[in-house]
Amino acid sequence: MDEPAAHPMWFPPEHPLAVRVRALCLEYPEAMEVISHGRCTFRAGKRQFAIVGVGPDPAVLFIPDDVERPALLERDDVFVPPYEGASGWLALRVEVDAGDWTLLAELIDTSYRRVALQRQLRALDAAAP
């Protein structure tokens, strides 16, 4: 029996976009990185809160706040990604050298908070200055 074809590795762990996103994501309590479907994904426990890349496009997927979603979709650099978009995810196009890293950090924070367990949120809030 043939094994299923592996997903192409669009953004391997050493890609500059993955490195920058990793620095943001792994600061969160119990966050971990898992390679899935050819991309670096970041999880709070078992639930994903950030994904690097949409196919070959440099973008970061995140779970937005429901209230902020309409405003985000008005931006030229935000779009509904295939597959994950059906579950409410959005993606922000970001270039390593020219991206809006402040906005991305805020979006990742919101996304983490949407999926994190209560103990993870307590640890995050306790660590805040």
Side-chain angles (χ1 to χ4, degrees), residues 121-129:
L121 293 174
R122 282 192 301 272
L124 178 61
D125 292 337

Side-chain angles (χ1 to χ4, degrees), residues 78-91:
V78 173
F79 63 98
V80 177
Y83 308 111
E84 294 90 351
S87 297
W89 289 71
L90 293 179

Side-chain angles (χ1 to χ4, degrees), residues 3-124:
E3 290 185 29
H7 289 274
M9 204 56 208
W10 295 111
F11 291 88
E14 65 276 3
H15 189 281
L17 180 59
V19 170
R20 293 272 319 251
V21 172
R22 179 179 303 114
L24 294 172
C25 292
L26 293 183
E27 292 292 318
Y28 288 92
E30 300 181 46
M32 69 177 121
E33 181 177 2
V34 175
I35 302 298
S36 178
H37 296 88
R39 298 178 292 177
C40 298
T41 69
F42 297 91
R43 300 170 186 222
K46 294 181 181 180
R47 299 188 65 196
Q48 296 181 114
F49 67 94
I51 303 171
V52 176
V54 178
D57 296 329
V60 178
L61 286 76
F62 60 94
I63 304 168
D65 180 90
D66 292 336
V67 173
E68 296 174 351
R69 184 182 180 83
L72 288 167
L73 285 170
E74 290 181 13
R75 295 177 56 101
D76 291 337
D77 56 353
V78 173
F79 63 98
V80 177
Y83 308 111
E84 294 90 351
S87 297
W89 289 71
L90 293 179
L92 175 70
R93 286 183 193 88
V94 59
E95 297 293 334
V96 173
D97 297 326
D100 187 342
W101 290 93
T102 301
L103 173 62
L104 183 59
E106 292 170 2
L107 296 172
I108 287 172
D109 185 74
T110 298
S111 191
Y112 177 87
R113 289 176 182 278
R114 298 279 319 259
V115 303
L117 299 172
Q118 289 299 313
R119 74 166 184 270
Q120 294 165 329
L121 293 174
R122 282 192 301 272
L124 178 61

